[in-house]
Each structure stands twice: as structure tokens, then as C-alpha cells.
Amino acid sequence: MALLDDFDRAAAVVQTVVSSVRDDQWVLPTACADWDVRAVVNHLAHGNARVAEWAVVGPAAPPGDYLGADPPGSFTASVARAREVLAEPGLATRLVTTPLGDVPGSLLVHMRLNEYLAHGWDVADATGQPTDFVPDLAEQVLESWRTRFGDQPRPPGGPFAPEQPPPPDAAAADRLAAFLGRTPVRA
């Protein structure tokens, strides 16, 4: 399934970014104003756990610490579990209940792509890593968000700030981050 291939590519990039975070970088601020690097990665791991919850093949995944003493290892394990759930036969066409309502299971993959690319960018930016990753997927996710948001105003306190102007030579992932209201913390 091509969609799972996209998941694998995005997951591999984010796992590389997360595994490259040094011990002293977990407390660095990110473009997500209320979250440091560890909180962003924990959010991703929690989202990975929620995949099983939404697909009704695992327990509820309440908020909490999903990283423990080994954040990179725990994150990688969470990706593997999410991938296992997403590859279940029939999941792509079966309806699942998410915060977006009842949707085809294939949307769970799109949700992970969105999260991996947006928050992978947050972690890469905060830790001084390259943000020019998976350009074709970043373009695809950017177009998806543009279609979803259009020119709608983004109210204060929401998950996305108003669109920011990207640099003229910005890579696709940087343009995605700017569209989602991210301002680099490592300018």
C-alpha cells in the first residue's frame, strides 16, 4: 500500500531526527510555544498510541509520559506499534472514530503523516538539525492543509498560529511549518 510507504518514509525521517537529539537538547524550546523538545516527541508517541485506540485494537491512551528513561527507544517502539496497527488488513477502508469523527482508517495514516512532518520539523528546528526532509511528502501535506484551512482565520489559543511568511528559498517542510504558523526558534 503506497500510503504505508509514505508512513514509513515520514516515520524514518522523524526517528532519525529524534535519535539525533542530544541529552542536553530535550529541554530546548520549540516552535510549539508550550512544549519543549521532549514534550513534542512525547506528543508524537502519545499520538502513535492513540492509533490503536482509534482503530479499536488497543486500550485507551490517556495523556502521560510515553517516553520514559529512553526517549528515542520509546519513540521508535511507538512508531513500530502504530505501523503494525495501520497495516492490519481492512483497516484502510473500515470506519474508525477519531477526534475528527467517523472516518476511513486510511485517514489515520494521513494524521500520522501530518503530525510526523509538522512536529518532526519542530524537533529538527529546535535542535539545529536539517529541516529539508521528504520534500514530496511535505508538499503533499502542505497541499492537504491548504485545502483544509484555506484562508480561514486561526483564532488565538488554537493548535495553529496564523501563517508565517517562509523565506524565498524555503524547502517544502519549511513552507509547511510556516503555513502552520511556525516561527523557527533557531533562526
Side-chain angles (χ1 to χ4, degrees), residues 8 25 31 34 77 81 86-87 92 133 137 150 157 168:
D8 291 340
Q25 293 179 315
D34 296 333
R81 176 63 180 134
L86 294 171
F133 39 74
L137 286 180

Side-chain angles (χ1 to χ4, degrees), residues 16-37:
T16 297
V17 168
V18 169
S19 68
S20 299
V21 174
R22 296 187 320 263
D23 289 342
D24 63 324
Q25 293 179 315
W26 291 101
V27 296
L28 292 176
T30 69
C32 295
D34 296 333
W35 290 346
D36 62 13
V37 169

Side-chain angles (χ1 to χ4, degrees), residues 3-77:
L3 198 51
L4 283 178
D5 292 340
D6 289 347
F7 173 90
D8 291 340
R9 291 173 53 221
V13 166
V14 176
Q15 287 176 83
T16 297
V17 168
V18 169
S19 68
S20 299
V21 174
R22 296 187 320 263
D23 289 342
D24 63 324
Q25 293 179 315
W26 291 101
V27 296
L28 292 176
T30 69
C32 295
D34 296 333
W35 290 346
D36 62 13
V37 169
R38 183 182 173 93
V40 170
V41 176
N42 190 65
H43 170 74
L44 287 171
H46 178 236
N48 289 338
R50 296 213 60 198
V51 167
E53 174 187 343
W54 294 324
V56 193
V57 296
D65 180 17
Y66 284 79
L67 300 179
D70 178 16
S74 297
F75 178 71
T76 295

Side-chain angles (χ1 to χ4, degrees), residues 100-120:
L100 303 173
D102 291 341
V103 298
S106 61
L107 188 64
L108 294 176
V109 176
H110 291 288
M111 290 169 68
R112 297 321 306 145
L113 290 176
N114 291 342
E115 290 280 299
Y116 286 171
L117 294 183
H119 290 306

